[in-house]
Amino acid sequence: MTPKQRNTLIVSGMGFALVLPFIVSNPSHQNYLILVLMFAQIGVAWNILGGYVGQVSLGHVAFFGIGAYTSTVLLVSVGLSPWIGMLIGGVVAAFFGLLIGWICFRFKGHYFTMATIAVAEILQVLFTNWEGVGGAVGLYVPLDQQGWWAMVFNSKLPYYYIALGLFTVTLLANWAIEKSFLGYYFRAIKDDPEAARSLGVSLTDYKLVAIAISSFFAALGGSFYAQKELFIDPGSVLVTSLSIKMSLVTILGGIGSLFGPLVGSVLLTGIEEATRQILGGSGMGIDLIIYATIIIAVAIYYPTGILGWAKRFLRRGKKAEDGA
Amino acid sequence: MNWDILLQTLLSGILIGMVYALVAVGLSIIYGVMEIVNFAHGEFLMFGMYSSFWLFTLFALDPLLTLPLSALFLFALGALVYRFTIKRIASAPMVSQIFATFGLMILFRGVAQFLWKPDFRTVENSLVSGNIVVSGLYFGIPHLVAAVGAVLATGGVWWFINRTRLGAALEATAQDKEAAQLMGIPSHWMFALAWGLGAACAGVAGVLLSTFFPIFPEVGATFSLIAFVVVALGGFGNVTGAFWAGIIVGVVEVLGGFLIGPEYKLAIVLTLFLLVIIVRPQGLMGRAE
C-alpha cells in the first residue's frame, strides 16, 4: 500500500465512521458500534505497552477501573463534569502506572504478566471493601443533569461520537509515538533489549514512559464506560476478564500495529454479541468455549493477528502477479 | 489477644499451606522445564475436584480411594494439553505462550460450566469428616488428611525428581535441553512428562480439597494466583522451596485474614508477592542468577 492509498483509506474510513450511526439506526446495533469503538480505544491504549514495548500486562483493568472510579466519585461527590474527571482519572492512573511499573518491571516475561494480574486483583479486593466508593454495591451516575457537560444522554448517538472521538485521540497519540523517537526506542526494547541497553537506552525509564501513557488512555476508556453504563462496581470495571479482552482485541487484530485493535474489536465484539443473542445471557459456558478457542487458535496459528495474516496474503498475491 | 485462637489459626494456615505447596510444585515443574507459566493451572485442580465429586456421587467411591485414578486422569490431560497446544508454541513469542495457556484456562472453565453448570457442589459424608481435638486445639479431619496427603505427594515428586533416572532426565532437560537432547533425552517426552506431572500435582491437590471445599467452575482462579505467589517465593523449579513457601503463604493468608479481615485474604497474599518482587526478585529461597 502506498502512503497515498493509505491516506485515502483513512480519510474515507473516518468519513464512513461519521455517517455510520445514521445508516445504523437500531439502538442495539448502535450500542454494538459504541462497544467496538470503546474496546478498540482501550486496545490501542494496551497496545502502547503490550504491543510496542512487548510488556504483556493482564492487569490493565486496574487503570480502566481507576479512570471509571475517579470520574464517577468526583461527579457524585462534588458534581465535577466527567470531562474533567476523565482527565484527572487519566493522570491518577498514569501515576499509578508508574508505581506499578516500578514494582513489576523487575520481572521479565511471564512473571511481569502475573505481577500485573496480582495488582488488579488486589485493587478489586480493596474497592469491593471500600465503602466510601460504594463497596461491593457500586456507584450510580446521577441522572439529574443531562447533556454534554454532564456526559449523560438519552440517546446512543452522542455516546457514539464521544467513543469515536476518544478512539481517534488515542490513535493519534499512538501514531505520534510510533513516528517519534519513542517508537524506535520502544521497538528496540521489545526486539533486542540487550542491544538497546548497550546503545544507552534506559530500559526501565522508557518502559515507565510507556506504561504511564498506556494507563492514561486506558483510564479515559474507563471514565467513558462509567458514563455510558451509568453504573460501575468492582465486578464490572475491575475484573481480569476485561484485561484479557483489551489485550485480546489487540492480539486478534494485530499486535504492535496501529489499526490492529480496531480490526480485532470489530470481530471479537461482534462474536461476543452474536453468541449472547443466540445463546442467551448465561451462555452456559458455550460462549466461553468459543472465546477460548479463538484465543488459542490465534496464539498458535496467527500470532501476528488478522492484519499480519492479511499483509502476508496480499504480499503473496503480489508476488504471484509479478511472477506471471 | 486469645492465644488459643491464634495458635489454632496458625495451625490451619500450615495445613492449607501444605496443599498450596503441592499445587505450586506442579506449576513450578512446568515452568522449570519449559519456562512457560501455566495460567490454566488452577483449572487442572478444578478438574481434579470434579473427578473426585463425580466418582463419589455416581459410584459412591470415596475421594481417598479414587485419588490414584484422578491423578492418572489429570496426568493424561496434562500430557494431552502439551501434545496438542503447548508443543506448537514451545518456541513461539512470549505473547503467544501467555495467551495459549490463558485460552486454556477460559476453555476449561467454559467446559466445566457447560457440562456441570455453575452451581456450587460439595462432597458430603466422605470417609474423612468430623473433627478431632488435641489438647484443646480443633483439627478438621479432612484438612488434616489433605495436608498429610499433600506432603506425601510433594515428597513423592521430590523423590521422583531427585532419586530416579527419569527424574534426573527431567532435571537435565530443565537445565539445558540441547545438551540433554545430545545425551539422548528426548525433549518432547520430557516436556510431556512435566505437563503430566504438573497437572497431576494440581489434580491430586484438588481431590484432597474436594472433601471440604466447595466445587465450582471458577474454583481454580484463587488457587492459580496463590500458586504463582508460592512459586515466586520459593524460587522457580525448586520443590523444597515451594514446600516451605507454600506453608509461609498458607500462614500469611490465614493469619492476615484473622488479623485484618477474611475478605482481604487474597489481597494480603498478593501484596506479599509484590513485596517479594521488590525485595528479592529471585524468590525468598531462590539463588540470584
Side-chain angles (χ1 to χ4, degrees), chain B residues 17-243:
Chain B
M18 288 169 170
V19 181
Y20 290 162
L22 178 58
V23 184
V25 163
L27 191 71
S28 183
I29 291 172
I30 294 171
Y31 187 86
V33 175
M34 290 198 79
E35 301 216 343
I36 287 180
V37 171
N38 175 25
F39 285 100
H41 202 63
E43 279 55 44
F44 287 142
L45 180 139
M46 181 262 297
F47 279 137
M49 285 177 120
Y50 272 109
S51 72
S52 155
F53 171 81
W54 285 113
L55 287 168
F56 182 75
T57 311
L58 297 178
F59 308 110
L61 291 168
D62 198 83
L64 276 191
L65 301 174
T66 57
L67 191 100
L69 208 62
S70 297
L72 221 60
F73 166 65
L74 263 300
F75 186 94
L77 181 67
L80 285 175
V81 162
Y82 168 74
R83 174 63 186 80
F84 289 103
T85 55
I86 307 302
K87 190 177 174 187
R88 297 167 198 271
I89 47 114
S91 48
M94 190 188 67
V95 181
S96 300
Q97 297 177 342
I98 290 173
F99 277 87
T101 65
F102 236 96
L104 285 170
M105 172 191 93
I106 299 171
L107 179 70
F108 290 157
R109 285 186 199 173
V111 167
Q113 253 189 47
F114 178 68
L115 291 177
W116 307 309
K117 302 199 173 54
D119 307 344
F120 276 52
R121 297 171 189 271
T122 47
V123 170
E124 268 158 56
N125 302 321
S126 68
L127 279 182
V128 288
S129 51
N131 293 304
I132 50 168
V133 187
V134 181
S135 60
L137 295 171
Y138 282 87
F139 293 96
I141 295 178
H143 302 71
L144 216 54
V145 169
V148 172
V151 171
L152 288 177
T154 310
V157 171
W158 183 90
W159 177 82
F160 172 76
I161 291 178
N162 291 292
R163 293 286 181 272
T164 64
R165 273 180 72 85
L166 198 55
L170 192 69
E171 184 69 22
T173 306
Q175 282 178 9
D176 189 339
K177 75 172 189 263
E178 275 82 24
Q181 184 97 42
L182 289 175
M183 298 294 130
I185 302 170
S187 298
H188 281 306
W189 284 105
M190 289 302 121
F191 291 161
L193 176 66
W195 276 84
L197 207 58
C201 286
V204 167
V207 174
L208 293 169
L209 286 166
S210 69
T211 53
F212 63 96
F213 212 87
I215 302 163
F216 53 100
E218 277 85 34
V219 68
T222 321
F223 286 98
S224 280
L225 287 171
I226 288 175
F228 295 156
V229 180
V230 174
V231 172
L233 224 61
F236 305 96
N238 180 343
V239 175
T240 333
F243 179 73

Side-chain angles (χ1 to χ4, degrees), chain A residues 40-111:
Chain A
Q41 188 263 331
I42 46 179
V44 173
W46 183 88
N47 202 13
I48 293 170
L49 181 68
Y52 287 85
V53 195
Q55 302 295 307
V56 179
S57 155
L58 285 176
H60 247 54
V61 76
F63 310 122
F64 182 86
I66 286 176
Y69 268 100
T70 308
S71 65
T72 310
V73 167
L74 287 173
L75 178 63
V76 172
S77 58
V78 295
L80 191 71
S81 164
W83 292 102
I84 303 167
M86 185 182 258
L87 291 176
I88 296 175
V91 172
V92 173
F95 276 104
F96 188 68
L98 289 177
L99 174 71
I100 298 316
W102 179 75
I103 297 172
C104 298
F105 287 140
R106 285 155 213 262
F107 256 148
K108 274 180 274 183
H110 293 247
Y111 262 78

